[in-house]
Amino acid sequence: MTSALKTEYLTINMGPQHPSTHGVIRFILKTDGEIIYECDPDVGYLHRGIEKIAESVTWQGFVPYTDRVDYVCAMNSNLSYCMAVEKLMGMETEIPKRAEYIRVIVSELNRISSHAVAIGAADMDMGAFTPFVHFLREREHINDLLEMACGARLTYNYICIGGVHNDLPPAFLSKTAEFLDHFEIVVEQINRLISYNQIFIKRFANVAVVPPKMAIDYNLVGPNLRGSGIKFDVRKDKPYSVYSDLDFDIPIGSGRAGTLGDCYDRYMVRVEEIRESIKIIRQCLKQIPAGETKAIVKSTIKPPKGHVYFRTETPRGDTGYFLYSDGKTSPTRLKIRTGSFTGMSIIPEIARGVFIADLVAIIGSLDIVAPELDR
Amino acid sequence: MNILQIFEQIKQNTDAVVSFQEDEGPTPSIYVRSDSVLSVMTYLKEEEALDFNVLMNHTGFHETESSKLFWHLFFDVSQDESEDHHHEEIRLFWHLYSYKVEHRVTIESSVPIGKAQMDSVVSLWKSANWLEREVYDLLGVTYPGHPDLRRIMLPPDWEGHPLRKDYVAPTSYHGIDNSPSALTKSFEPKGKSK
């Protein structure tokens, strides 16, 4: 005799206005009690059609839009786009050395602030509000530094095709060195506060394990990929700018609190990357040469007909800009393949069978930023 | 392995119609005729020496001029000299990478706009799932064999595919007015009539 009782799945809605989604992302969850049976992410709430806008603005005119693609690390977005255009124009060797160093300094500073927000937000989602506030306080210092360099605090438009818009103010380098000395200690303090906290580790360890093979199959990038134990960083493996002259390590996940590729591994990769960024900036401060900061670029550029797919390492991983030029003043096609996009596409697979509360941990650990996801 | 060697490998080991494109920008690509894309991709993924285990990016764009660009390269397609060839086409790009061998390749193909259909590669790389949904949403290419082909960026009831060059933005959506205001119109260049 078969039982007449059966489980009925309950479909519930999470988002788009949900405190843990950091932006507007919606999940349609099919749940069996507390357990997620099926998770369908509904993205596109922040789709602004940036790729369509690109078809009607000039090549230089698109740089401010890249700030808005990912406003948590606008410098890195600027850099990705500008280097892609330079590659398309075949002028990547013409960029002055000083400009390259400035680019690396500002984008690594921005990487620190982006990771600080990512870590802080993950802590906050897990119920620890204090670390987030500490990180925001530290981020203010970075915002001050970048404001010194370019006048803006969030959307910079500082890196331009051919170099950077203006040279750094005289006090910038010493202030940056001062900040690094201060921040290195703060990172350890915050780690003691949250990263090594047993309650927090228990919450993140063994949750949403991404095995290396799955990470590659879904094309996870950046810290999410390295959290699964794959040692790949575009800065190291396909060096661009002056990264080949700099000495730094690539932190990878090793299952230090549980299984390889769990939420805690992805989290700790970011913490260690902050330390590596500090190392990179220190070297740049020593090595930065004097000289020009911008190559000579026409006011209206027309890259030759052709296409390029250029990858750079932004805080959310390997960001690829695909450009197709018809030899006109604006791109025929511009496509941005971002880290959040692939990070989001893996969620239906890893969220199956976890608690609803752990979905929040997954989003936090994958560091998904909604505007970058939807573009 | 560089792209020329990869091209020779494909040419020798598959019966796909391929050609080498080197005059388009800094990264040369391999053009594959649309009906043999899946077999070439399967070969690239499964051949030991190539081992392209990651699909980094898949995208496309609406090409309004160069339909003559590609079809004339293939002398053996003269039998399907239908009107399709003189129409506009959608050019598609796949960017593959191998973490093991550390090499990359750009595969290119094109489909006529009237019959925008491409084989899905979701069975090879799971990252293709959302990338193909995006191309379907924004460019209107359908992928037979895709497990879940829905719009991804735009709402399900949206009409048209915005990244096509002939797309006209709607003036209203569910009662939300989107027609340009008098102020917006004042910025339009003079002497340009619609």
Side-chain angles (χ1 to χ4, degrees):
Chain A
M1 192 187 115
T2 53
S3 168
L5 287 171
K6 60 173 188 196
T7 307
E8 247 183 56
Y9 296 114
L10 176 69
T11 307
I12 57 170
N13 183 52
M14 180 175 167
Q17 318 292 347
H18 190 275
S20 80
T21 54
H22 310 291
V24 271
I25 307 167
R26 178 174 168 232
F27 294 91
I28 303 155
L29 308 175
K30 229 185 219 180
T31 59
D32 176 5
E34 271 282 293
I35 310 277
I36 296 171
Y37 170 70
E38 210 176 272
C39 168
D40 180 20
D42 182 9
V43 303
Y45 285 89
L46 270 171
H47 182 61
R48 293 147 294 168
I50 282 182
E51 291 169 8
K52 184 74 180 170
I53 292 171
E55 293 173 12
S56 54
V57 297
T58 57
W59 291 92
Q60 277 112 329
F62 188 71
V63 180
Y65 286 97
T66 61
D67 288 333
R68 277 84 186 164
V69 170
D70 187 354
Y71 49 67
V72 188
C73 58
M75 258 337 162
N76 298 75
S77 307
N78 281 178
L79 182 66
S80 308
Y81 172 70
C82 292
M83 293 204 72
V85 178
E86 284 157 12
K87 174 104 180 164
L88 189 58
M89 293 176 71
M91 58 174 289
E92 65 264 44
T93 51
E94 293 168 31
I95 314 301
K97 259 275 166 331
R98 185 175 173 83
E100 294 276 27
Y101 273 97
I102 294 175
R103 282 173 167 195
V104 171
I105 292 173
V106 290
S107 49
E108 290 302 321
L109 277 174
N110 212 185
R111 186 187 309 277
I112 293 174
S113 79
S114 169
H115 279 346
V117 170
I119 294 167
D123 300 339
M124 190 174 64
D125 295 343
M126 297 298 96
F129 193 73
T130 317
F132 183 58
V133 186
H134 281 295
F135 272 123
L136 279 191
R137 185 194 65 215
E138 296 311 318
R139 184 178 174 234
E140 284 303 303
H141 293 305
I142 299 178
N143 284 356
D144 288 344
L145 284 172
L146 295 177
E147 191 183 5
M148 264 176 92
C150 64
R153 294 176 68 83
L154 194 68
T155 48
Y156 308 107
N157 187 20
Y158 179 51
I159 294 168
C160 61
I161 297 163
V164 292
H165 269 296
N166 52 280
D167 201 356
L168 295 171
F172 182 88
L173 297 180
S174 60
K175 288 257 185 199
T176 308
E178 233 171 74
F179 165 73
L180 294 181
D181 293 342
H182 153 79
F183 188 64
E184 206 166 28
I185 300 162
V186 174
V187 174
E188 267 324 300
Q189 286 171 348
I190 300 177
N191 275 344
R192 282 211 299 279
L193 178 66
I194 183 80
S195 305
Y196 309 142
N197 183 320
Q198 275 304 316
I199 303 169
F200 177 72
I201 292 176
K202 285 247 159 75
R203 195 72 173 70
F204 256 24
N206 296 323
V207 173
V209 176
V210 181
K213 204 169 174 317
M214 193 204 278
I216 292 175
D217 210 13
Y218 274 97
N219 186 19
L220 281 194
V221 288
N224 300 335
L225 178 75
R226 293 190 283 276
S228 293
I230 293 157
K231 204 166 186 166
F232 180 82
D233 188 315
V234 187
R235 290 176 294 171
K236 197 92 175 176
D237 292 273
K238 305 275 164 210
Y240 55 95
S241 199
V242 287
Y243 281 111
S244 49
D245 303 343
L246 302 167
D247 172 42
F248 59 100
D249 296 327
I250 307 170
I252 55 166
S254 54
R256 71 200 86 197
T259 326
L260 173 69
D262 59 4
C263 286
Y264 191 68
D265 267 349
R266 289 193 283 276
Y267 174 90
M268 278 315 278
V269 166
R270 290 200 175 83
V271 173
E272 281 165 15
E273 264 183 28
I274 288 184
R275 296 192 188 122
E276 295 305 319
S277 289
I278 293 174
K279 226 159 96 184
I280 293 173
I281 299 171
R282 283 223 173 100
Q283 291 171 47
C284 287
L285 293 180
K286 266 189 209 138
Q287 296 174 16
I288 185 168
E292 288 293 310
T293 54
K294 200 179 173 190
I296 299 160
V297 181
K298 281 185 195 157
S299 58
T300 312
I301 54 169
K302 292 178 181 172
K305 190 171 159 56
H307 58 85
V308 69
Y309 180 70
F310 193 78
R311 308 197 283 166
T312 54
E313 187 78 20
T314 70
R316 259 153 290 287
D318 162 5
T319 295
Y321 271 77
F322 172 80
L323 306 173
Y324 189 93
S325 167
D326 251 340
K328 292 186 184 138
T329 50
S330 48
T332 301
R333 174 80 167 106
L334 185 148
K335 147 99 185 165
I336 312 160
R337 218 275 300 120
T338 59
S340 297
F341 188 78
T342 53
M344 196 71 178
S345 69
I346 201 171
I347 286 185
E349 176 120 13
I350 57 175
R352 189 170 295 137
V354 305
F355 287 108
I356 297 174
D358 284 342
L359 181 61
V360 178
I362 296 174
I363 303 164
S365 79
L366 287 171
D367 187 18
I368 284 159
V369 171
E372 197 207 29
L373 164 65
D374 296 340
R375 301 183 298 285
Chain B
M1 210 179 277
N2 70 28
I3 190 158
L4 209 57
Q5 290 166 314
I6 296 167
F7 173 67
E8 290 302 327
Q9 287 258 325
I10 295 174
K11 221 170 152 186
Q12 279 165 20
N13 297 310
T14 66
D15 47 7
V17 185
V18 290
S19 81
F20 188 63
Q21 304 286 315
E22 56 180 341
D23 53 345
E24 282 216 314
T27 43
S29 61
I30 296 169
Y31 182 87
V32 181
R33 210 172 68 175
S34 59
D35 52 0
S36 40
V37 165
L38 190 59
S39 64
V40 169
M41 293 294 189
T42 313
Y43 173 73
L44 289 173
K45 165 109 195 267
E46 268 149 30
E47 171 68 37
E48 271 307 279
L50 298 172
D51 194 45
F52 282 103
N53 54 4
V54 54
L55 173 68
M56 292 192 291
N57 184 28
H58 169 47
T59 187
F61 70 93
H62 183 181
E63 179 68 88
T64 46
E65 287 161 24
S66 71
S67 50
K68 40 201 174 318
L69 215 163
F70 282 118
W71 291 97
H72 80 272
L73 294 166
F74 305 108
F75 301 107
D76 60 330
V77 295
S78 53
Q79 71 270 19
D80 24 277
E81 194 66 60
S82 61
E83 70 277 16
D84 274 350
H85 302 167
H86 306 291
H87 279 182
E88 297 161 7
E89 63 187 16
I90 289 187
R91 283 174 65 182
L92 295 163
F93 294 84
W94 291 260
H95 301 272
L96 309 178
Y97 186 73
S98 166
Y99 282 122
K100 212 193 261 165
V101 198
E102 295 193 349
H103 58 181
R104 59 178 274 181
V105 67
T106 307
I107 303 289
E108 194 184 337
S109 185
S110 60
V111 287
I113 198 132
K115 196 171 168 282
Q117 246 185 33
M118 178 50 70
D119 292 326
S120 170
V121 292
V122 178
S123 53
L124 301 172
W125 301 281
K126 285 192 177 133
S127 60
N129 188 328
W130 277 36
L131 289 167
E132 283 175 2
R133 273 177 72 184
E134 195 188 335
V135 175
Y136 162 71
D137 188 0
L138 302 178
L139 279 158
V141 179
T142 53
Y143 293 87
H146 190 287
D148 182 25
L149 198 64
R150 289 177 288 146
R151 281 187 185 272
I152 184 164
M153 294 296 171
L154 302 172
D157 58 351
W158 196 265
E159 279 172 21
H161 303 284
L163 284 180
R164 289 205 176 174
K165 300 284 180 197
D166 51 3
Y167 177 75
V168 182
T171 49
S172 81
Y173 175 72
H174 285 282
I176 306 164
D177 186 31
N178 187 39
S179 48
S181 65
L183 182 69
T184 315
K185 276 181 186 159
S186 69
F187 286 110
E188 270 178 18
K190 298 261 165 15
K192 210 180 181 184
S193 59
K194 262 206 169 161

